[in-house]
Amino acid sequence: MRKDHQLRRLAVGGATWLWSVRHRRRPPECCEVLSLHLPWEGARATLRLVFNEGAPGRYLEGSGGIGGAGDRDHVPGGAHGPRSPLHLNLHEPAVVRGFLEEAAACGALPVAAGEGEIDGWPLFDALVGR
């Protein structure tokens, strides 16, 4: 069994990305963060996709489920999406690859060592709209 906070590897093109998913609590909201890391000349270029709980029409695992207030229907770990049947599991490599592709298409991938953070919901919309 893999450790929850262990970085995972994903080969895309000629690059090997490291990635992880974490839950972040910053009152009054919680969010899920998909961190994408690319080794860069002895350092690391990092892009964090942040999925805020308070976004209208969106849900995060554990934020009340998908059935409404008080209804704790099971949602697969790391699943996100509008309250319709559309959801993605951030723990799946194919989903992470899709987010990488969408980030590249909109020019959001890091081009040098350092850290950046963007709202992940627009990329979610582009990915489920494919």
Side-chain angles (χ1 to χ4, degrees), residues 8 10 28-29 37-38 42 47-48 50 53 71 84 86 93 96 98-99 107 111 113-114 116 119 122-123 125 129:
R8 299 176 70 183
L10 181 66
E29 293 181 348
H37 311 281
L38 183 63
L47 174 64
R48 289 188 177 85
V50 180
E53 178 179 49
D71 185 359
S84 68
L86 299 175
V96 174
F99 277 112
V111 294
D119 181 5
L123 298 178
D125 292 336

Short mmCIF file of all heavy atoms in Angstrom, two decimals, residues 8 10 28-29 37-38 42 47-48 50 53 71 84 86 93 96 98-99 107 111 113-114 116 119 122-123 125 129:
data_model
loop_
_atom_site.label_atom_id
_atom_site.label_comp_id
_atom_site.label_asym_id
_atom_site.label_seq_id
_atom_site.Cartn_x
_atom_site.Cartn_y
_atom_site.Cartn_z
N ARG A 8 4.14 10.81 -6.29
CA ARG A 8 4.00 9.79 -7.33
C ARG A 8 4.63 10.31 -8.60
O ARG A 8 4.74 11.51 -8.80
CB ARG A 8 2.52 9.47 -7.52
CG ARG A 8 1.90 8.91 -6.24
CD ARG A 8 0.44 8.66 -6.37
NE ARG A 8 0.20 7.55 -7.27
CZ ARG A 8 -1.02 7.14 -7.63
NH1 ARG A 8 -2.08 7.76 -7.18
NH2 ARG A 8 -1.17 6.13 -8.44
N LEU A 10 4.85 10.52 -12.89
CA LEU A 10 4.04 10.45 -14.10
C LEU A 10 4.90 10.93 -15.26
O LEU A 10 5.36 12.08 -15.28
CB LEU A 10 2.79 11.34 -13.97
CG LEU A 10 1.84 11.34 -15.15
CD1 LEU A 10 1.18 9.96 -15.31
CD2 LEU A 10 0.77 12.40 -14.95
N PRO A 28 -12.33 30.18 6.39
CA PRO A 28 -13.53 29.38 6.59
C PRO A 28 -13.71 28.26 5.57
O PRO A 28 -14.71 27.57 5.58
CB PRO A 28 -14.64 30.41 6.43
CG PRO A 28 -14.11 31.35 5.39
CD PRO A 28 -12.62 31.41 5.65
N GLU A 29 -12.76 28.07 4.64
CA GLU A 29 -12.92 27.07 3.59
C GLU A 29 -11.86 25.98 3.67
O GLU A 29 -10.80 26.17 4.25
CB GLU A 29 -12.83 27.71 2.21
CG GLU A 29 -13.93 28.66 1.88
CD GLU A 29 -13.78 29.24 0.48
OE1 GLU A 29 -12.70 29.09 -0.12
OE2 GLU A 29 -14.75 29.83 0.00
N HIS A 37 5.06 18.75 -9.75
CA HIS A 37 6.46 19.17 -9.61
C HIS A 37 7.27 18.65 -10.78
O HIS A 37 7.15 17.49 -11.16
CB HIS A 37 7.07 18.60 -8.32
CG HIS A 37 6.24 18.81 -7.10
ND1 HIS A 37 6.21 20.01 -6.43
CD2 HIS A 37 5.41 17.97 -6.43
CE1 HIS A 37 5.40 19.89 -5.38
NE2 HIS A 37 4.90 18.68 -5.37
N LEU A 38 8.13 19.51 -11.31
CA LEU A 38 9.04 19.13 -12.37
C LEU A 38 10.46 19.48 -11.95
O LEU A 38 10.74 20.65 -11.65
CB LEU A 38 8.69 19.87 -13.67
CG LEU A 38 9.51 19.53 -14.91
CD1 LEU A 38 9.32 18.07 -15.31
CD2 LEU A 38 9.13 20.44 -16.06
N GLY A 42 18.46 21.16 -10.84
CA GLY A 42 18.81 21.03 -9.43
C GLY A 42 17.77 21.58 -8.47
O GLY A 42 17.93 21.49 -7.26
N LEU A 47 3.63 23.63 -9.75
CA LEU A 47 2.35 24.25 -10.02
C LEU A 47 1.33 23.56 -9.12
O LEU A 47 1.21 22.33 -9.12
CB LEU A 47 1.94 24.08 -11.49
CG LEU A 47 0.54 24.59 -11.85
CD1 LEU A 47 0.44 26.10 -11.64
CD2 LEU A 47 0.19 24.21 -13.28
N ARG A 48 0.60 24.37 -8.36
CA ARG A 48 -0.46 23.83 -7.50
C ARG A 48 -1.81 24.23 -8.07
O ARG A 48 -2.08 25.41 -8.27
CB ARG A 48 -0.29 24.34 -6.08
CG ARG A 48 0.88 23.74 -5.38
CD ARG A 48 0.94 24.11 -3.90
NE ARG A 48 2.06 23.44 -3.27
CZ ARG A 48 3.31 23.91 -3.27
NH1 ARG A 48 3.57 25.06 -3.84
NH2 ARG A 48 4.27 23.23 -2.71
N VAL A 50 -5.58 24.45 -7.19
CA VAL A 50 -6.36 24.54 -5.96
C VAL A 50 -7.84 24.46 -6.29
O VAL A 50 -8.34 25.21 -7.14
CB VAL A 50 -6.05 25.85 -5.21
CG1 VAL A 50 -6.87 25.95 -3.93
CG2 VAL A 50 -4.55 25.95 -4.91
N GLU A 53 -13.50 24.70 -1.83
CA GLU A 53 -14.79 24.15 -1.46
C GLU A 53 -15.93 25.13 -1.70
O GLU A 53 -17.02 24.73 -2.06
CB GLU A 53 -14.74 23.77 0.02
CG GLU A 53 -16.02 23.22 0.58
CD GLU A 53 -15.86 22.88 2.04
OE1 GLU A 53 -15.35 23.70 2.81
OE2 GLU A 53 -16.22 21.76 2.40
N ASP A 71 -26.52 14.88 3.98
CA ASP A 71 -26.49 13.60 3.28
C ASP A 71 -25.04 13.25 2.98
O ASP A 71 -24.39 13.92 2.21
CB ASP A 71 -27.29 13.70 1.99
CG ASP A 71 -27.41 12.37 1.26
OD1 ASP A 71 -26.86 11.37 1.76
OD2 ASP A 71 -28.05 12.35 0.21
N SER A 84 -23.70 17.60 -10.36
CA SER A 84 -24.24 16.67 -11.35
C SER A 84 -23.34 15.43 -11.35
O SER A 84 -22.40 15.35 -10.60
CB SER A 84 -24.25 17.34 -12.72
OG SER A 84 -22.92 17.52 -13.16
N LEU A 86 -20.93 14.62 -13.06
CA LEU A 86 -19.55 14.83 -13.46
C LEU A 86 -18.64 14.92 -12.24
O LEU A 86 -18.84 15.76 -11.37
CB LEU A 86 -19.42 16.13 -14.28
CG LEU A 86 -20.21 16.17 -15.57
CD1 LEU A 86 -20.09 17.55 -16.20
CD2 LEU A 86 -19.74 15.10 -16.53
N PRO A 93 -3.86 8.60 -12.04
CA PRO A 93 -2.84 9.15 -12.94
C PRO A 93 -3.39 9.70 -14.26
O PRO A 93 -2.92 10.73 -14.74
CB PRO A 93 -1.90 7.96 -13.19
CG PRO A 93 -2.07 7.09 -11.99
CD PRO A 93 -3.51 7.24 -11.58
N VAL A 96 -4.67 13.16 -13.59
CA VAL A 96 -3.56 14.09 -13.40
C VAL A 96 -2.94 14.45 -14.75
O VAL A 96 -2.64 15.61 -15.03
CB VAL A 96 -2.51 13.51 -12.44
CG1 VAL A 96 -1.27 14.40 -12.35
CG2 VAL A 96 -3.13 13.30 -11.06
N GLY A 98 -4.47 14.51 -17.60
CA GLY A 98 -5.41 15.43 -18.24
C GLY A 98 -5.24 16.85 -17.72
O GLY A 98 -5.27 17.81 -18.50
N PHE A 99 -5.06 17.01 -16.40
CA PHE A 99 -4.84 18.34 -15.85
C PHE A 99 -3.53 18.93 -16.35
O PHE A 99 -3.45 20.13 -16.64
CB PHE A 99 -4.87 18.32 -14.32
CG PHE A 99 -6.26 18.39 -13.76
CD1 PHE A 99 -6.82 17.31 -13.10
CD2 PHE A 99 -7.04 19.53 -13.91
CE1 PHE A 99 -8.11 17.37 -12.59
CE2 PHE A 99 -8.32 19.61 -13.41
CZ PHE A 99 -8.86 18.52 -12.75
N GLY A 107 -1.15 27.61 -21.00
CA GLY A 107 0.10 28.29 -20.67
C GLY A 107 0.39 28.43 -19.19
O GLY A 107 1.14 29.30 -18.78
N VAL A 111 7.75 27.54 -16.16
CA VAL A 111 8.82 27.61 -17.15
C VAL A 111 10.18 27.82 -16.49
O VAL A 111 11.19 27.96 -17.17
CB VAL A 111 8.56 28.74 -18.19
CG1 VAL A 111 7.34 28.39 -19.02
CG2 VAL A 111 8.41 30.08 -17.52
N ALA A 113 12.30 27.28 -12.26
CA ALA A 113 12.18 26.82 -10.88
C ALA A 113 11.39 27.84 -10.07
O ALA A 113 11.47 29.04 -10.32
CB ALA A 113 13.57 26.61 -10.28
N GLY A 114 10.61 27.35 -9.14
CA GLY A 114 9.78 28.21 -8.31
C GLY A 114 8.42 27.58 -8.12
O GLY A 114 8.20 26.43 -8.51
N GLY A 116 4.06 28.14 -8.20
CA GLY A 116 2.89 28.90 -8.64
C GLY A 116 1.64 28.19 -8.21
O GLY A 116 1.64 26.98 -7.96
N ASP A 119 -6.27 28.55 -9.69
CA ASP A 119 -7.58 27.95 -9.46
C ASP A 119 -7.72 26.75 -10.40
O ASP A 119 -7.56 26.88 -11.61
CB ASP A 119 -8.66 28.99 -9.75
CG ASP A 119 -10.07 28.48 -9.54
OD1 ASP A 119 -10.25 27.33 -9.06
OD2 ASP A 119 -11.01 29.24 -9.84
N PRO A 122 -11.35 26.04 -13.49
CA PRO A 122 -11.43 26.23 -14.95
C PRO A 122 -10.79 25.07 -15.72
O PRO A 122 -11.30 24.68 -16.78
CB PRO A 122 -10.67 27.54 -15.19
CG PRO A 122 -10.80 28.28 -13.89
CD PRO A 122 -10.74 27.21 -12.84
N LEU A 123 -9.73 24.51 -15.19
CA LEU A 123 -9.12 23.34 -15.85
C LEU A 123 -10.03 22.12 -15.74
O LEU A 123 -10.11 21.32 -16.66
CB LEU A 123 -7.74 23.05 -15.25
CG LEU A 123 -6.69 24.14 -15.40
CD1 LEU A 123 -5.39 23.74 -14.72
CD2 LEU A 123 -6.45 24.48 -16.85
N ASP A 125 -13.29 22.23 -15.71
CA ASP A 125 -14.34 22.42 -16.71
C ASP A 125 -13.85 22.05 -18.11
O ASP A 125 -14.57 21.40 -18.87
CB ASP A 125 -14.83 23.86 -16.70
CG ASP A 125 -15.58 24.23 -15.43
OD1 ASP A 125 -16.12 23.30 -14.76
OD2 ASP A 125 -15.62 25.42 -15.08
N GLY A 129 -15.14 18.77 -20.25
CA GLY A 129 -15.79 19.18 -21.48
C GLY A 129 -15.20 18.54 -22.73
O GLY A 129 -15.69 18.73 -23.83
#
